[in-house]
Amino acid sequence: TYRLRLTVTDAGLSSAADVTLTVALPPNQAPRLTCPATQSGQAGQEVVLTCTAQDDNQPAGQALVPAWTVISGPVTPVLSDAGTLSTRFTPAQAGTYRLRLSVSDTLLASTADVTVTVSPPPNVAPTVSCPTSLTGTTQQAVTLSCTAADDGQPEGKTLSYAWTVLSGPATPTLATPTTAATRFTPTLPGVYRLRLTVSDSALSGTAEVSVTVNLPPNTAPVVTCPAALAGTAGQELTVSCSATDDGQPGGQAMADSWAGGSPPATPPLT
């Protein structure tokens, strides 16, 4: 309340009148918010939303109360500092997220919505892990087993596998050339180089394996003869035997020789 007095004088006499003014506060206005209408982000990376609020300080002595909420989205993210004018979250999936900021002065409130468009992370080629070197033996199966890790991009695509023979003394037949693990049976000794290519339909990763194939250990020939025969003195007796070998050492033919005899006499052998 204000009291004012007006005094008027004609140089000799004066008169006065008082006026009482009652001044009321202006009507309370809701806070005014300023937020970005749209924002972009990337899955797996933090998104920060920052707004400002202006108020008429009514009701007197009351602080503004902000509150963020998630309106929609492919998943519901966890908001950090949801009770302030600036919040942040890390989207786990790509898509469109709508968030709302509400600010109250304890009597009136205002809201503002922000739309965040989240894109998937950039596609990265699959990572392929294989043993760099293996050993094997001819005529025995060699198994190659690898693994592949991927980022899941492009979304909805599965990994494809392809084995190829780069070099070797012969080109072996691969049992399962379109899986992460394959096997082959080498027929010749030497070094075989194979490559596994893994594709996510857009990008590919590769790994190579070197397989050193050796001949099997040399084993003695196996000789088969009749254990006993009957004959007549003075007549020729034929003894027939057979022998099998593993082919080792390579390029060497078997050599045979007869020896021996036992009492009553040592016969000449032909």
Side-chain angles (χ1 to χ4, degrees):
T1 300
Y2 298 81
R3 293 182 65 247
L4 297 90
R5 175 173 293 162
L6 174 62
T7 301
V8 179
T9 181
D10 61 1
L13 299 174
S14 62
S15 297
D18 292 347
V19 179
T20 300
L21 300 177
T22 301
V23 179
L25 290 171
N28 183 26
Q29 301 291 323
R32 296 184 301 278
L33 306 184
T34 303
C35 290
T38 60
Q39 198 160 320
S40 60
Q42 190 176 99
Q45 296 189 5
E46 187 177 71
V47 175
V48 178
L49 306 179
T50 300
C51 299
T52 60
Q54 293 179 322
D55 192 44
D56 57 4
N57 297 320
Q58 298 297 326
Q62 299 297 320
L64 296 179
V65 181
W68 285 94
T69 55
V70 179
I71 305 302
S72 62
V75 294
T76 302
V78 176
L79 303 180
S80 299
D81 301 324
T84 67
L85 291 173
S86 180
T87 190
R88 63 187 187 277
F89 69 97
T90 301
Q93 294 183 18
T96 301
Y97 296 75
R98 288 183 60 242
L99 295 92
R100 177 170 293 160
L101 173 63
S102 175
V103 178
S104 171
D105 64 6
T106 71
L107 291 180
L108 298 176
S110 297
T111 62
D113 291 354
V114 182
T115 298
V116 182
T117 302
V118 175
S119 60
N123 185 25
V124 177
T127 301
V128 186
S129 299
C130 291
T132 56
S133 61
L134 293 172
T135 58
T137 304
T138 56
Q139 305 303 331
Q140 295 185 14
V142 176
T143 299
L144 311 177
S145 184
C146 300
T147 59
D150 192 44
D151 58 2
Q153 300 298 327
E155 189 174 353
K157 299 295 185 179
T158 58
L159 297 179
S160 61
Y161 302 83
W163 283 95
T164 53
V165 179
L166 300 179
S167 62
T171 302
T173 299
L174 303 180
T176 52
T178 58
T179 63
T182 191
R183 65 184 185 280
F184 70 95
T185 301
T187 57
L188 296 176
V191 178
Y192 296 75
R193 289 180 57 242
L194 297 93
R195 175 181 294 156
L196 174 61
T197 301
V198 181
S199 172
D200 62 9
S201 78
L203 299 176
S204 298
T206 63
E208 295 184 6
V209 183
S210 178
V211 182
T212 301
V213 175
N214 302 306
L215 291 169
N218 185 25
T219 57
V222 177
V223 182
T224 303
C225 290
L229 291 173
T232 302
Q235 295 184 6
E236 184 178 75
L237 180 64
T238 300
V239 181
S240 295
C241 298
S242 63
T244 58
D245 190 42
D246 59 3
Q248 300 299 327
Q252 300 296 318
M254 288 187 294
D256 56 71
S257 63
W258 288 90
S262 58
T266 301
L269 302 178
T270 59

PDB file of all heavy atoms in Angstrom, residues 132-149:
ATOM      1  N   THR A 132      46.870 -69.798 -36.510  1.00  0.00           N
ATOM      2  CA  THR A 132      47.691 -69.398 -37.659  1.00  0.00           C
ATOM      3  C   THR A 132      48.362 -70.596 -38.315  1.00  0.00           C
ATOM      4  O   THR A 132      48.611 -70.572 -39.528  1.00  0.00           O
ATOM      5  CB  THR A 132      48.749 -68.380 -37.220  1.00  0.00           C
ATOM      6  OG1 THR A 132      49.523 -68.942 -36.157  1.00  0.00           O
ATOM      7  CG2 THR A 132      48.087 -67.092 -36.749  1.00  0.00           C
ATOM      8  N   SER A 133      48.668 -71.639 -37.556  1.00  0.00           N
ATOM      9  CA  SER A 133      49.346 -72.797 -38.136  1.00  0.00           C
ATOM     10  C   SER A 133      48.881 -74.081 -37.469  1.00  0.00           C
ATOM     11  O   SER A 133      48.559 -74.098 -36.272  1.00  0.00           O
ATOM     12  CB  SER A 133      50.864 -72.657 -38.011  1.00  0.00           C
ATOM     13  OG  SER A 133      51.243 -72.586 -36.643  1.00  0.00           O
ATOM     14  N   LEU A 134      48.840 -75.154 -38.276  1.00  0.00           N
ATOM     15  CA  LEU A 134      48.462 -76.480 -37.806  1.00  0.00           C
ATOM     16  C   LEU A 134      49.376 -77.500 -38.472  1.00  0.00           C
ATOM     17  O   LEU A 134      50.025 -77.209 -39.476  1.00  0.00           O
ATOM     18  CB  LEU A 134      46.999 -76.789 -38.151  1.00  0.00           C
ATOM     19  CG  LEU A 134      45.897 -75.981 -37.461  1.00  0.00           C
ATOM     20  CD1 LEU A 134      44.546 -76.313 -38.085  1.00  0.00           C
ATOM     21  CD2 LEU A 134      45.870 -76.263 -35.966  1.00  0.00           C
ATOM     22  N   THR A 135      49.404 -78.704 -37.927  1.00  0.00           N
ATOM     23  CA  THR A 135      50.135 -79.804 -38.551  1.00  0.00           C
ATOM     24  C   THR A 135      49.192 -80.971 -38.751  1.00  0.00           C
ATOM     25  O   THR A 135      48.177 -81.101 -38.065  1.00  0.00           O
ATOM     26  CB  THR A 135      51.331 -80.251 -37.690  1.00  0.00           C
ATOM     27  OG1 THR A 135      50.853 -80.654 -36.394  1.00  0.00           O
ATOM     28  CG2 THR A 135      52.331 -79.127 -37.525  1.00  0.00           C
ATOM     29  N   GLY A 136      49.532 -81.817 -39.738  1.00  0.00           N
ATOM     30  CA  GLY A 136      48.713 -82.975 -40.019  1.00  0.00           C
ATOM     31  C   GLY A 136      49.537 -84.061 -40.676  1.00  0.00           C
ATOM     32  O   GLY A 136      50.743 -83.912 -40.901  1.00  0.00           O
ATOM     33  N   THR A 137      48.865 -85.148 -40.974  1.00  0.00           N
ATOM     34  CA  THR A 137      49.495 -86.313 -41.605  1.00  0.00           C
ATOM     35  C   THR A 137      48.670 -86.717 -42.807  1.00  0.00           C
ATOM     36  O   THR A 137      47.429 -86.654 -42.769  1.00  0.00           O
ATOM     37  CB  THR A 137      49.587 -87.484 -40.599  1.00  0.00           C
ATOM     38  OG1 THR A 137      50.296 -87.049 -39.436  1.00  0.00           O
ATOM     39  CG2 THR A 137      50.306 -88.666 -41.213  1.00  0.00           C
ATOM     40  N   THR A 138      49.339 -87.122 -43.867  1.00  0.00           N
ATOM     41  CA  THR A 138      48.618 -87.552 -45.063  1.00  0.00           C
ATOM     42  C   THR A 138      47.644 -88.677 -44.717  1.00  0.00           C
ATOM     43  O   THR A 138      47.908 -89.520 -43.839  1.00  0.00           O
ATOM     44  CB  THR A 138      49.600 -88.026 -46.143  1.00  0.00           C
ATOM     45  OG1 THR A 138      50.431 -89.066 -45.608  1.00  0.00           O
ATOM     46  CG2 THR A 138      50.464 -86.899 -46.640  1.00  0.00           C
ATOM     47  N   GLN A 139      46.523 -88.648 -45.421  1.00  0.00           N
ATOM     48  CA  GLN A 139      45.459 -89.646 -45.294  1.00  0.00           C
ATOM     49  C   GLN A 139      44.729 -89.587 -43.953  1.00  0.00           C
ATOM     50  O   GLN A 139      43.935 -90.459 -43.637  1.00  0.00           O
ATOM     51  CB  GLN A 139      45.991 -91.079 -45.514  1.00  0.00           C
ATOM     52  CG  GLN A 139      46.715 -91.268 -46.842  1.00  0.00           C
ATOM     53  CD  GLN A 139      45.853 -90.907 -48.048  1.00  0.00           C
ATOM     54  OE1 GLN A 139      44.632 -91.020 -48.007  1.00  0.00           O
ATOM     55  NE2 GLN A 139      46.508 -90.452 -49.114  1.00  0.00           N
ATOM     56  N   GLN A 140      44.987 -88.534 -43.189  1.00  0.00           N
ATOM     57  CA  GLN A 140      44.264 -88.321 -41.937  1.00  0.00           C
ATOM     58  C   GLN A 140      43.593 -86.945 -41.974  1.00  0.00           C
ATOM     59  O   GLN A 140      44.186 -85.975 -42.451  1.00  0.00           O
ATOM     60  CB  GLN A 140      45.197 -88.418 -40.724  1.00  0.00           C
ATOM     61  CG  GLN A 140      45.795 -89.801 -40.523  1.00  0.00           C
ATOM     62  CD  GLN A 140      46.608 -89.896 -39.257  1.00  0.00           C
ATOM     63  OE1 GLN A 140      46.526 -89.022 -38.383  1.00  0.00           O
ATOM     64  NE2 GLN A 140      47.409 -90.945 -39.131  1.00  0.00           N
ATOM     65  N   ALA A 141      42.338 -86.891 -41.477  1.00  0.00           N
ATOM     66  CA  ALA A 141      41.565 -85.656 -41.551  1.00  0.00           C
ATOM     67  C   ALA A 141      42.201 -84.553 -40.695  1.00  0.00           C
ATOM     68  O   ALA A 141      42.646 -84.796 -39.568  1.00  0.00           O
ATOM     69  CB  ALA A 141      40.142 -85.898 -41.093  1.00  0.00           C
ATOM     70  N   VAL A 142      42.242 -83.360 -41.262  1.00  0.00           N
ATOM     71  CA  VAL A 142      42.709 -82.156 -40.551  1.00  0.00           C
ATOM     72  C   VAL A 142      41.496 -81.253 -40.339  1.00  0.00           C
ATOM     73  O   VAL A 142      40.766 -80.956 -41.289  1.00  0.00           O
ATOM     74  CB  VAL A 142      43.783 -81.413 -41.362  1.00  0.00           C
ATOM     75  CG1 VAL A 142      44.179 -80.117 -40.648  1.00  0.00           C
ATOM     76  CG2 VAL A 142      44.988 -82.296 -41.585  1.00  0.00           C
ATOM     77  N   THR A 143      41.260 -80.834 -39.103  1.00  0.00           N
ATOM     78  CA  THR A 143      40.105 -79.993 -38.775  1.00  0.00           C
ATOM     79  C   THR A 143      40.560 -78.562 -38.517  1.00  0.00           C
ATOM     80  O   THR A 143      41.498 -78.333 -37.741  1.00  0.00           O
ATOM     81  CB  THR A 143      39.365 -80.527 -37.543  1.00  0.00           C
ATOM     82  OG1 THR A 143      38.880 -81.846 -37.827  1.00  0.00           O
ATOM     83  CG2 THR A 143      38.175 -79.642 -37.192  1.00  0.00           C
ATOM     84  N   LEU A 144      39.905 -77.613 -39.174  1.00  0.00           N
ATOM     85  CA  LEU A 144      40.169 -76.188 -38.985  1.00  0.00           C
ATOM     86  C   LEU A 144      38.945 -75.578 -38.326  1.00  0.00           C
ATOM     87  O   LEU A 144      37.839 -75.650 -38.869  1.00  0.00           O
ATOM     88  CB  LEU A 144      40.436 -75.506 -40.322  1.00  0.00           C
ATOM     89  CG  LEU A 144      41.447 -76.175 -41.256  1.00  0.00           C
ATOM     90  CD1 LEU A 144      41.539 -75.413 -42.565  1.00  0.00           C
ATOM     91  CD2 LEU A 144      42.799 -76.259 -40.600  1.00  0.00           C
ATOM     92  N   SER A 145      39.122 -74.965 -37.165  1.00  0.00           N
ATOM     93  CA  SER A 145      37.995 -74.392 -36.424  1.00  0.00           C
ATOM     94  C   SER A 145      38.291 -72.939 -36.091  1.00  0.00           C
ATOM     95  O   SER A 145      39.304 -72.626 -35.456  1.00  0.00           O
ATOM     96  CB  SER A 145      37.738 -75.181 -35.137  1.00  0.00           C
ATOM     97  OG  SER A 145      36.602 -74.697 -34.463  1.00  0.00           O
ATOM     98  N   CYS A 146      37.406 -72.032 -36.539  1.00  0.00           N
ATOM     99  CA  CYS A 146      37.591 -70.588 -36.331  1.00  0.00           C
ATOM    100  C   CYS A 146      36.352 -70.000 -35.664  1.00  0.00           C
ATOM    101  O   CYS A 146      35.310 -70.655 -35.563  1.00  0.00           O
ATOM    102  CB  CYS A 146      37.845 -69.885 -37.663  1.00  0.00           C
ATOM    103  SG  CYS A 146      39.307 -70.485 -38.543  1.00  0.00           S
ATOM    104  N   THR A 147      36.465 -68.764 -35.230  1.00  0.00           N
ATOM    105  CA  THR A 147      35.339 -68.035 -34.659  1.00  0.00           C
ATOM    106  C   THR A 147      35.273 -66.648 -35.305  1.00  0.00           C
ATOM    107  O   THR A 147      36.265 -66.145 -35.833  1.00  0.00           O
ATOM    108  CB  THR A 147      35.467 -67.873 -33.133  1.00  0.00           C
ATOM    109  OG1 THR A 147      36.678 -67.161 -32.830  1.00  0.00           O
ATOM    110  CG2 THR A 147      35.486 -69.221 -32.445  1.00  0.00           C
ATOM    111  N   ALA A 148      34.085 -66.043 -35.256  1.00  0.00           N
ATOM    112  CA  ALA A 148      33.891 -64.694 -35.811  1.00  0.00           C
ATOM    113  C   ALA A 148      33.047 -63.872 -34.840  1.00  0.00           C
ATOM    114  O   ALA A 148      32.075 -64.378 -34.271  1.00  0.00           O
ATOM    115  CB  ALA A 148      33.215 -64.762 -37.169  1.00  0.00           C
ATOM    116  N   ALA A 149      33.437 -62.631 -34.639  1.00  0.00           N
ATOM    117  CA  ALA A 149      32.685 -61.686 -33.805  1.00  0.00           C
ATOM    118  C   ALA A 149      32.199 -60.548 -34.685  1.00  0.00           C
ATOM    119  O   ALA A 149      32.917 -60.098 -35.578  1.00  0.00           O
ATOM    120  CB  ALA A 149      33.559 -61.165 -32.666  1.00  0.00           C
TER     121      ALA A 149
END
